[in-house]
């Protein structure tokens, strides 16, 4: 009453080779992208045509929960 699934050995080898190929090609593509388009972490530049003197608004002050140690 059970089903037997037969997977051929060439199909298994093909899947393994395909996996390695995708891995190595993707890794090479990612390294190429990093060399050509380096990520820059920082304040974004204003769009062209906007005022260069305008600064970004300051972030809100940090919010702290009340301590409540004086009510003990």
């Amino acid at each position: 009453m059970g089903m037997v699934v037969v997977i051929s050995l060439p199909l298994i080898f093909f899947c393994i080779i395909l996996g390695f190929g995708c891995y190595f090609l993707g890794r090479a593509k990612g390294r190429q992208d990093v060399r050509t388009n380096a990520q820059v972490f920082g304040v974004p530049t204003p769009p062209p045509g906007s005022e260069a003197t305008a600064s970004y608004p300051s972030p809100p002050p940090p919010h702290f929960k009340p301590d409540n140690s004086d009510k003990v």
Side-chain angles (χ1 to χ4, degrees):
M1 305 285 181
M3 291 179 52
V4 176
V5 178
V6 178
I7 300 177
S8 66
L9 199 58
L11 180 64
I12 294 172
F13 287 148
F14 175 72
C15 290
I16 291 172
I17 292 172
L18 183 67
F20 275 113
C22 290
Y23 171 75
F24 286 116
L25 288 176
R27 189 174 71 166
K29 177 73 172 166
R31 289 182 177 181
Q32 181 184 8
D33 287 346
V34 168
R35 273 192 307 244
T36 57
N37 301 324
Q39 292 181 348
V40 177
F41 298 101
V43 179
T45 58
S50 66
E51 293 184 25
T53 59
S55 63
Y56 291 97
S58 62
H63 177 72
F64 296 105
K65 288 185 173 182
D67 190 14
N68 290 335
S69 63
D70 57 343
K71 297 182 181 178
V72 176

